[in-house]
Amino acid sequence: MNRRIKEKYLKIFIPLLLGVVFLLLIWLGYRLFFVKEKTFLEKIDKSVYASLTYEAIYGIHLNLKGTFDPPDNLEDIKLVLSNGKEDVNLPLELKEKDGYLEFVTSNFNNKGLNLETIPQGTYYLVFKGTINENNKEIIKYYSIENKSEYGNLDYYTLTKNQKNNKINIEWNTYEECPTLRFKIEETPLPENVYDITIDPGHGGSDIGATGKLNNIEYHESDLNLKVSLKLKEILEQQGYKIAITRTDDSYVNIYEPHGSATLANETKSKFNFAIHHNSFAYETDYLKGLEIYVANDIEFDFANILIKNIINDANTQISPKEIYQVAPGIYQRFFSEQDILEDEVQPSNKDTSMIYYYNIRELGGISTKSTNDGRYANLENGLIANPFNKSNNTTEPYLLELGYVNNESDLKNIVGNEEKYATGIANALKEYLEMP
Ligand SMILES: [Zn+2]
């Protein structure tokens, strides 16, 4: 071949070869990322037997409720996140009702699927059934349709080694079959997303409870702030991104932006710690020690761990108070009939299954039965609606009453020891998150 022709061939041949390689790579990428997903979607039985009626994220947990009308020859059923190869099992409780099944991942808001534990990847929420067909066991996947008033959800995992996953939960359809896709991928935490919110109670003109020690008067608002700032410092050292409702002696609003009822949900925080100190109407040696106020419909695992660690690290004890007590040191104060009768707004939308304290009830949205839908707005108190009143993606709130400032031995233990209380709370969080 003559040299000029050879060069001419190379000029055409090399770009052509590069083009073919490029197309091959695109095709491979497509196979890897899309076809695998499509193959699993093709496996899903297109006759839909399950409906979702409720979905909510509360703290680090996702909870689902719905109904399942099983095919006749079903032998076993599991609720899983699956891509056809790996399954993440969801807890599942089934109850038979009029020939179909009611399902719930957990009756506790803070149980269900722990979102911190799902490995990165793309999954679909499906029922995985074992069917007996001619004495042969076969696996079938059944999809789920959305009959709830809620849609897609986003969740950012707690910061771990300076990294976060974003979990995108999205409704879609595939060949007219509804699908619920979970996509988990590493994402930098957006500027307005935080791990945990701390709310030092009171502040400004609202000094909270007061106590005296060696003729010095102590204000609850100051003590709350000292513990909160220490707690923020310790948790930040552990790598968490911490939001706080105040860093000085200023008044914090409730339902306005960055308020004590809104900041945790604005920042998609997984937990909210309202830090308080207690007092009793008259000086007493009887009432002292730690009280943790919790939300409705929860397991007390975390509350118990908080008590154990705070008592240990701050060298204190649980309160002997019996009213509202549901377990040693743990309190659930619901509205009483009397509270509801005295409600300023008639007709009241409160009932006795709802928590009395706004800094628990209003923070968990639908999970904690937030009542402030704005009906209080016209009152002289100027309260505006809770913007997260109907939210199904909220923080898990705790109200910590660390001790009685009008009990001398409690106050002695508190003043100057803010770091010990903060350490107890931080250690509890660590222990809870390491629970299997
Ligand atoms: Zn207080």
Side-chain angles (χ1 to χ4, degrees):
M1 220 185 285
N2 133 352
R3 203 170 153 192
R4 207 183 294 161
I5 294 175
K6 205 173 166 185
E7 272 174 16
K8 208 173 167 188
Y9 266 103
L10 279 177
K11 256 187 192 163
I12 299 169
F13 182 71
I14 290 174
L16 206 72
L17 190 76
L18 284 174
V20 169
V21 168
F22 180 69
L23 285 175
L24 205 74
L25 280 173
I26 289 187
W27 177 78
L28 259 171
Y30 172 79
R31 289 277 309 175
L32 275 173
F33 292 104
F34 296 102
V35 177
K36 198 172 102 191
E37 201 172 318
K38 204 175 141 190
T39 316
F40 178 64
L41 286 173
E42 270 162 5
K43 277 193 203 161
I44 295 176
D45 193 294
K46 299 294 178 293
S47 27
V48 176
Y49 296 100
S51 306
L52 195 81
T53 54
Y54 175 93
E55 54 168 350
I57 291 175
Y58 180 75
I60 59 173
H61 289 94
L62 170 72
N63 263 298
L64 307 169
K65 285 178 197 168
T67 58
F68 186 68
D69 194 0
D72 293 338
N73 44 356
L74 190 72
E75 291 201 328
D76 182 49
I77 192 81
K78 284 191 177 84
L79 184 60
V80 295
L81 292 179
S82 184
N83 53 24
K85 284 185 179 141
E86 303 132 287
D87 288 346
V88 176
N89 273 302
L90 278 81
L92 180 65
E93 290 174 38
L94 293 164
K95 211 166 77 185
E96 223 181 311
K97 198 187 165 187
D98 310 327
Y100 63 90
L101 297 169
E102 276 183 343
F103 73 86
V104 59
T105 45
S106 173
N107 289 307
F108 298 112
N109 288 325
N110 61 350
K111 286 268 160 179
L113 176 64
N114 184 342
L115 293 167
E116 296 289 322
T117 60
I118 313 173
Q120 288 172 7
T122 300
Y123 308 87
Y124 289 88
L125 183 84
V126 285
F127 278 97
K128 187 178 184 180
T130 310
I131 294 253
N132 191 323
E133 243 176 43
N134 307 321
N135 288 327
K136 254 174 103 184
E137 285 196 342
I138 53 167
I139 298 288
K140 285 229 176 193
Y141 296 102
Y142 304 105
S143 199
I144 195 160
E145 65 179 327
N146 188 9
K147 288 280 175 76
S148 78
E149 52 188 297
Y150 294 92
N152 303 340
L153 289 163
D154 275 335
Y155 177 87
Y156 293 90
T157 57
L158 289 161
T159 307
K160 213 175 189 178
N161 306 322
Q162 296 174 312
K163 285 178 181 154
N164 304 80
N165 284 341
K166 182 184 180 180
I167 303 181
N168 170 246
I169 305 172
E170 194 179 276
W171 289 98
N172 236 312
T173 54
Y174 177 74
E175 290 179 354
E176 288 172 38
C177 174
T179 59
L180 185 55
R181 190 187 69 180
F182 284 60
K183 200 172 171 185
I184 298 103
E185 52 189 355
E186 197 187 318
T187 312
L189 212 55
E191 210 179 311
N192 59 346
V193 176
Y194 287 69
D195 293 312
I196 288 151
T197 293
I198 303 169
D199 176 32
H202 312 280
S205 57
D206 172 16
I207 59 172
T210 58
K212 252 187 183 170
L213 197 64
N214 304 325
N215 276 324
I216 302 171
E217 190 175 79
Y218 289 91
H219 295 170
E220 186 202 342
S221 55
D222 291 334
L223 299 168
N224 295 342
L225 182 62
K226 284 199 171 108
V227 175
S228 298
L229 290 174
K230 250 310 166 215
L231 178 60
K232 181 173 184 280
E233 192 187 313
I234 296 170
L235 292 175
E236 279 173 348
Q237 277 163 9
Q238 294 175 2
Y240 291 117
K241 194 172 164 190
I242 305 299
I244 192 163
T245 52
R246 66 182 173 103
T247 53
D248 56 22
D249 187 22
S250 53
Y251 176 77
V252 178
N253 61 55
I254 300 179
Y255 297 105
E256 280 153 48
H258 322 309
S260 52
T262 53
L263 183 67
N265 288 319
E266 281 165 11
T267 56
K268 289 182 174 288
S269 289
K270 268 49 80 175
F271 297 99
N272 185 83
F273 297 115
I275 305 292
H276 285 253
H277 290 77
N278 236 328
S279 71
F280 194 57
Y282 51 87
E283 286 211 19
T284 169
D285 283 336
Y286 172 67
L287 273 187
K288 59 178 178 184
L290 175 67
E291 295 171 13
I292 296 193
Y293 287 81
V294 301
N296 51 288
D297 304 308
I298 63 156
E299 274 259 293
F300 300 148
D301 299 4
F302 189 25
N304 277 319
I305 292 172
L306 278 163
I307 287 166
K308 190 188 83 183
N309 280 277
I310 297 170
I311 283 176
N312 189 45
D313 291 330
N315 193 25
T316 182
Q317 62 210 304
I318 55 165
S319 166
K321 190 164 104 177
E322 282 172 3
I323 187 166
Y324 316 127
Q325 192 198 57
V326 286
I330 305 176
Y331 296 81
Q332 258 176 340
R333 180 173 177 183
F334 292 100
F335 284 121
S336 67
E337 300 283 1
Q338 191 61 29
D339 292 330
I340 295 162
L341 277 174
E342 287 166 4
D343 196 352
E344 289 166 294
V345 179
Q346 298 296 338
S348 174
N349 60 349
K350 295 168 178 168
D351 66 52
T352 54
S353 73
M354 295 162 178
I355 295 287
Y356 178 90
Y357 297 107
Y358 85 88
N359 44 9
I360 296 173
R361 184 191 69 242
E362 296 299 328
L363 281 156
I366 60 167
S367 298
T368 51
K369 308 178 184 185
S370 155
T371 57
N372 185 5
D373 54 9
R375 66 181 63 202
Y376 301 85
N378 296 326
L379 292 178
E380 281 176 359
N381 61 20
L383 283 184
I384 59 168
N386 174 7
F388 301 96
N389 176 247
K390 286 268 173 265
S391 178
N392 67 331
N393 191 353
T394 65
T395 196
E396 178 173 357
Y398 287 90
L399 168 55
L400 279 60
E401 296 280 0
L402 296 176
Y404 281 77
V405 291
N406 58 351
N407 175 288
E408 206 187 313
S409 72
D410 259 9
L411 190 56
K412 262 187 192 159
N413 197 51
I414 291 162
V415 172
N417 286 326
E418 293 81 7
E419 185 166 3
K420 294 183 179 175
Y421 285 87
T423 303
I425 301 166
N427 284 341
L429 182 70
K430 190 168 184 286
E431 185 180 332
Y432 177 62
L433 293 173
E434 282 169 2
M435 247 175 67

